[in-house]
Amino acid sequence: MARVDNRGFGLDSPKGLARRMRRGGTDRFGRFTEWLARAMGTPWFIAGLTIFCIVWLGWNSLAPETWRFDSQKYGFTVLTLVLSLQASYAAPLILLAQNRQDDRDRVQFEQDRQQAARNLADTEYLAREVVALRLALREAPTRDFIRQELRGLLDELREDDRDAAVD
């Protein structure tokens, strides 16, 4: 009977499985922060936040005194606290998303560097092959050389035919 630990993984599970499973939650949080950082950088978010502030200020300035929840007299303190809270959460989430992007960029850079090294090696190999072909072709007879040799052989055959016809 397999013993089950408090995380729900038994002795029959691979050793690193529990660690990989826990990392999934961190990755989910990272993806969430990236989504949030992307969303905060959109014109729609800026427009929505602007509309929110305008409605807040309008409500607390124009609504009847008993319906207001943030005092204009104190400089809209609650609105300031809400925006400060939003900014205090936004900054670290944006930094976390940037760190994840830096990690991805670092991996992509390394892959690009390896691909460039492979391309350079392939290019050098092909250049050596082209040089070898040029050297081999330099020793190969040209069309003019072959024509000259064939004409010489043809002349010799004609002379042999003339000599045979004379004999």
Side-chain angles (χ1 to χ4, degrees):
M1 177 177 209
R3 185 174 152 253
V4 177
D5 64 3
N6 57 0
R7 290 183 304 250
F9 297 100
L11 293 176
D12 56 343
S13 298
K15 183 177 180 183
L17 183 62
R19 189 177 307 129
R20 282 194 301 262
M21 296 298 282
R22 276 185 266 133
R23 253 191 242 136
T26 304
D27 192 47
R28 231 178 284 132
F29 181 71
R31 285 194 308 265
F32 171 73
T33 59
E34 287 176 342
W35 172 83
L36 199 59
R38 274 193 304 271
M40 282 191 239
T42 62
W44 294 109
F45 177 79
I46 303 298
L49 190 60
T50 303
I51 291 169
F52 171 78
C53 290
I54 290 170
V55 168
W56 184 292
L57 293 172
W59 180 268
N60 289 297
S61 298
L62 304 174
E65 190 71 35
T66 57
W67 291 2
R68 295 179 190 176
F69 52 86
D70 195 8
S71 175
Q72 183 179 8
K73 181 169 62 172
Y74 296 116
F76 301 107
T77 308
V78 177
L79 177 62
T80 303
L81 290 173
V82 167
L83 292 176
S84 296
L85 181 67
Q86 183 268 336
S88 68
Y89 276 98
L93 291 176
I94 290 169
L95 287 174
L96 196 136
Q98 286 176 340
N99 288 341
R100 285 175 51 88
Q101 184 62 44
D102 288 344
D103 292 343
R104 278 196 302 274
D105 290 345
R106 200 172 302 115
V107 168
Q108 185 64 44
F109 175 74
E110 180 61 27
Q111 289 173 348
D112 290 347
R113 189 192 64 73
Q114 290 172 356
Q115 182 64 41
R118 284 192 300 271
N119 288 344
L120 180 63
D122 290 346
T123 304
E124 288 174 349
Y125 170 76
L126 290 174
R128 286 192 301 271
E129 289 296 314
V130 167
V131 167
L133 286 173
R134 283 184 179 170
L135 291 174
L137 285 176
R138 192 177 295 165
E139 296 172 7
T142 63
R143 183 184 330 161
D144 294 335
F145 175 77
I146 292 174
R147 281 183 183 163
Q148 184 180 2
E149 289 296 313
L150 288 175
R151 282 188 188 129
L153 288 173
L154 187 60
D155 289 342
E156 284 180 27
L157 287 174
R158 285 183 185 153
E159 286 178 20
D160 288 344
D161 282 345
R162 277 189 225 141
D163 290 340
V166 173
D167 287 337

